[in-house]
Amino acid sequence: MNSTNKIANAIGNIDDRFILEAFKHRSHLAMHQKIRLFGAIAASICFMIGTMVLLNKNSHISIAVYAYESNEMLENGKTLLMSGRISNDGEMRGHPLMFYVLGNEIESIRFSCKNEWISFVDWTEQRGDYGLSKNFTVAYGSREEDYSYLVVDWVPQNIIRKLTDNQALRISDLSQDEKEDIIVMEISYLNGETETVAIWIRLNDNGKFETFINKYQITEKDGFINRPDSMPIEHQP
């Protein structure tokens, strides 16, 4: 007799009373398990909602970044299509990302650009300017009315050079890394608090640029942030 028949015979010899009692007990146990399951699901949902609220709260940034020419605000956590464009032959029209930063009581902002180049102009002529650079620090100070005149310009010089030097190359032929960049802003406030915010820039295959802004956590992989700052170009009297 094989094992299957042995099990069948064993089941057949069990009193029906015991089977019924076991069934009732199992049904009662299943009900409790369902209640516990629904409770666990409800707790998980509450946890997820709480986490989402907490993350949303923690992702809030204290500054506001505006495109210089259009005055459009780069909203936290949302992508904005910029007005500048670039053609497949490397010709650029407009500024893909020229911006200024507004906020309360900013002491200074250190700007670090990973792949491309950034420049800086103070239209009040109270601070030194920066030509094409990778890293520099701008003193802001308590005169918040000056902030909208402190303008940073992102210049995709590497992309332009690659497209102009290779006439057969198109934007769609570039790697994803070549079409993306990031500007990290290390912000210090006059009250001693600090904040780190990043702007991500992406070139689409149609030649248009998109930007995205959010809080940023610097890690050991961000070696570009450790580069030394460029020296400012002082205004001539």
Side-chain angles (χ1 to χ4, degrees):
M1 181 181 295
N2 59 33
S3 59
T4 303
N5 292 332
K6 289 181 180 178
I7 295 173
N9 290 335
I11 293 175
N13 292 327
I14 297 176
D15 193 310
D16 291 343
R17 184 179 71 257
F18 296 118
I19 296 176
L20 181 61
E21 290 178 357
F23 178 77
K24 289 181 179 179
H25 175 74
R26 182 168 184 156
S27 299
H28 185 67
L29 181 62
M31 181 63 70
H32 278 282
Q33 288 176 337
K34 287 181 180 179
I35 293 173
R36 288 200 299 269
L37 176 61
F38 288 136
I41 292 173
S44 298
I45 292 173
C46 291
F47 175 76
M48 290 171 63
I49 293 173
T51 302
M52 290 171 64
V53 171
L54 180 62
L55 288 174
N56 185 59
K57 181 179 179 181
N58 288 342
S59 66
H60 173 72
I61 59 179
S62 303
I63 61 167
V65 177
Y66 290 86
Y68 181 68
E69 294 179 328
S70 64
N71 290 320
E72 290 182 89
M73 186 175 73
L74 279 67
E75 294 188 62
N76 179 29
K78 293 186 178 180
T79 301
L80 176 66
L81 193 68
M82 304 304 292
S83 57
R85 295 194 63 174
I86 193 168
S87 64
N88 282 307
D89 59 7
E91 181 183 357
M92 188 171 71
R93 287 177 290 174
H95 293 268
L97 179 59
M98 180 183 282
F99 64 94
Y100 58 91
V101 179
L102 299 184
N104 297 322
E105 299 288 315
I106 300 174
E107 180 180 22
S108 66
I109 300 179
R110 184 172 187 264
F111 298 89
S112 299
C113 185
K114 183 177 182 179
N115 297 325
E116 292 290 349
W117 302 83
I118 49 177
S119 63
F120 169 77
V121 174
D122 174 14
W123 293 109
T124 71
E125 299 188 350
Q126 301 300 309
R127 303 160 183 81
D129 295 338
Y130 293 93
L132 289 181
S133 306
K134 293 285 190 180
N135 306 65
F136 53 74
T137 301
V138 176
Y140 276 68
S142 59
R143 286 179 53 86
E144 295 179 9
E145 59 269 27
D146 288 354
Y147 293 179
S148 59
Y149 296 99
L150 310 181
V151 181
V152 177
D153 190 12
W154 178 78
V155 183
Q157 182 169 298
N158 296 339
I159 295 175
I160 293 172
R161 181 176 298 165
K162 188 154 189 176
L163 291 173
T164 54
D165 290 348
N166 302 273
Q167 296 185 357
L169 199 67
R170 303 178 66 83
I171 295 173
S172 58
D173 297 324
L174 300 175
S175 68
Q176 199 63 34
D177 288 341
E178 290 175 314
K179 292 185 288 187
E180 294 181 351
D181 201 7
I182 182 172
I183 301 172
V184 174
M185 298 180 289
E186 298 171 85
I187 307 159
S188 299
Y189 295 95
L190 292 173
N191 62 5
E193 294 182 359
T194 60
E195 184 177 24
T196 303
V197 176
I199 303 175
W200 287 264
I201 309 115
R202 180 177 61 192
L203 171 63
N204 295 324
D205 290 345
N206 61 5
K208 294 183 178 180
F209 290 89
E210 292 179 320
T211 62
F212 178 87
I213 186 170
N214 215 330
K215 276 202 169 186
Y216 192 77
Q217 180 68 46
I218 298 174
T219 69
E220 59 183 13
K221 295 181 181 180
D222 296 320
F224 69 97
I225 294 176
N226 298 324
R227 292 182 301 227
D229 282 2
S230 297
M231 297 299 295
I233 305 169
E234 301 297 337
H235 290 279
Q236 297 298 321

